[in-house]
Amino acid sequence: MSLKKHIPNFITLLNLLSGCVALLFVSSHRYELVFFFVCLGIFFDFFDGFFARLFKAQSPLGLQLDSLADMVTSGLVPGYVMFQLIFDYQNEGMSVFDPYFPVNHILPLIGFAITLGSCYRLAKFNIDTRQTDSFIGLPTPANALFIISLPLIIASTESDLALQLLTNPYVLMGISILSVFLLNAEIPLFSLKMKGFSFEKNKVQLLFLVLALALLVWLKITAIPLVILLYVLLSLLTNRLIASKA
């Protein structure tokens, strides 16, 4: 096999490495660096597939490597972030590494439901032939961005209501359960890939991009969860319109 055939798998391993580095920064509460390295991992995740198609190097090994790398970057990291957030706001002043670990500290483990849900989502994706050019359920990278943006929003928001909600352990547990649902729900989500240069064929994608950019310019990091929810809501609306015309 020529050297270029190994390039996609090497890029996939860079995704995995990015996830491993992000995990280190979760432990030290450096959430801005967690966000950076997860975004870097998602960048590598996009380009491993691009180069696999370019070099005609798609293989079962590459598919498995891709899912295993995503499991860390887009599964384990957001689960750990949520665990740490719930723990911190339930047990202020304590560390997860303290030798005294009472029973009520087990509740933060609900954050790792995100990791379990992501694992199940990735396994389903590998055997689901319906998801070749669109998605059913929220993709794990989108869900990861949703979760890891929360500590950055907490640190930067000027809204007392947002701060009260996002520092409430029970709200965070609810977000964890919502995340698992969105990952694995039988909700067809439209593809973000453009279909040629036709406005009619791409109007949903273009509307989403315009609204997403407007939200990002207006709200900055706070917009990320809203953009993810907008994606789901637009997909639900599109599905209903298609069903009504059928």
Side-chain angles (χ1 to χ4, degrees), residues 81-158:
V81 167
M82 185 58 82
F83 166 83
Q84 191 69 67
L85 287 176
I86 296 171
F87 183 92
D88 288 344
Y89 294 117
Q90 186 192 26
N91 309 284
E92 291 187 24
M94 293 192 68
S95 167
V96 293
F97 301 109
D98 286 345
Y100 179 63
F101 201 87
V103 173
N104 68 324
H105 290 189
I106 293 174
L107 279 178
L109 292 173
I110 291 174
F112 282 115
I114 295 168
T115 302
L116 304 183
S118 298
C119 181
Y120 194 78
R121 167 76 171 85
L122 289 164
K124 283 201 307 180
F125 179 81
N126 282 353
I127 61 173
D128 193 341
T129 57
R130 299 172 297 168
Q131 301 189 60
T132 53
D133 56 4
S134 61
F135 300 106
I136 297 176
L138 190 65
T140 53
N143 183 68
L145 290 175
F146 183 108
I147 300 300
I148 65 173
S149 68
L150 297 180
L152 300 183
I153 294 170
I154 291 169
S156 63
T157 187
E158 296 178 358

Side-chain angles (χ1 to χ4, degrees), residues 20-220:
C20 293
V21 176
L23 283 171
L24 296 176
F25 288 115
V26 177
S27 300
S28 57
H29 295 74
R30 296 294 304 276
Y31 292 118
E32 71 286 357
L33 290 173
V34 173
F35 187 85
F36 171 79
F37 279 102
V38 168
C39 288
L40 185 62
I42 292 172
F43 173 82
F44 288 132
D45 185 39
F46 174 82
F47 276 100
D48 63 1
F50 172 81
F51 281 106
R53 291 187 293 273
L54 179 66
F55 297 144
K56 295 181 174 56
Q58 293 153 304
S59 67
L61 173 62
L63 179 66
Q64 298 306 317
L65 275 178
D66 188 70
S67 290
L68 291 170
D70 282 348
M71 184 57 219
V72 175
T73 305
S74 297
L76 183 55
V77 174
Y80 189 13
V81 167
M82 185 58 82
F83 166 83
Q84 191 69 67
L85 287 176
I86 296 171
F87 183 92
D88 288 344
Y89 294 117
Q90 186 192 26
N91 309 284
E92 291 187 24
M94 293 192 68
S95 167
V96 293
F97 301 109
D98 286 345
Y100 179 63
F101 201 87
V103 173
N104 68 324
H105 290 189
I106 293 174
L107 279 178
L109 292 173
I110 291 174
F112 282 115
I114 295 168
T115 302
L116 304 183
S118 298
C119 181
Y120 194 78
R121 167 76 171 85
L122 289 164
K124 283 201 307 180
F125 179 81
N126 282 353
I127 61 173
D128 193 341
T129 57
R130 299 172 297 168
Q131 301 189 60
T132 53
D133 56 4
S134 61
F135 300 106
I136 297 176
L138 190 65
T140 53
N143 183 68
L145 290 175
F146 183 108
I147 300 300
I148 65 173
S149 68
L150 297 180
L152 300 183
I153 294 170
I154 291 169
S156 63
T157 187
E158 296 178 358
S159 167
D160 290 337
L161 177 60
L163 194 60
Q164 288 175 10
L165 288 174
L166 295 179
T167 57
N168 184 313
Y170 297 100
V171 171
L172 293 171
M173 291 177 203
I175 292 173
S176 301
I177 302 305
L178 174 64
S179 167
V180 174
F181 171 76
L182 291 176
L183 282 165
N184 292 286
E186 287 288 311
I187 303 173
L189 302 177
F190 63 84
S191 173
L192 294 176
K193 295 178 181 178
M194 296 295 181
K195 301 171 184 175
F197 297 98
S198 168
F199 173 78
E200 186 63 28
K201 292 181 178 179
N202 297 303
K203 59 186 178 183
V204 176
Q205 289 87 343
L206 291 171
L207 174 63
F208 171 72
L209 288 174
V210 169
L211 292 175
L213 285 172
L215 284 170
L216 288 167
V217 170
W218 179 33
L219 298 173
K220 299 181 176 60

Side-chain angles (χ1 to χ4, degrees), residues 209-245:
L209 288 174
V210 169
L211 292 175
L213 285 172
L215 284 170
L216 288 167
V217 170
W218 179 33
L219 298 173
K220 299 181 176 60
I221 193 70
T222 306
I224 291 178
L226 298 178
V227 168
I228 303 301
L229 293 175
L230 173 65
Y231 178 44
V232 175
L233 290 174
L234 267 181
S235 295
L236 289 171
L237 180 60
T238 302
N239 295 338
R240 175 161 293 199
L241 288 173
I242 291 173
S244 67
K245 293 178 181 179

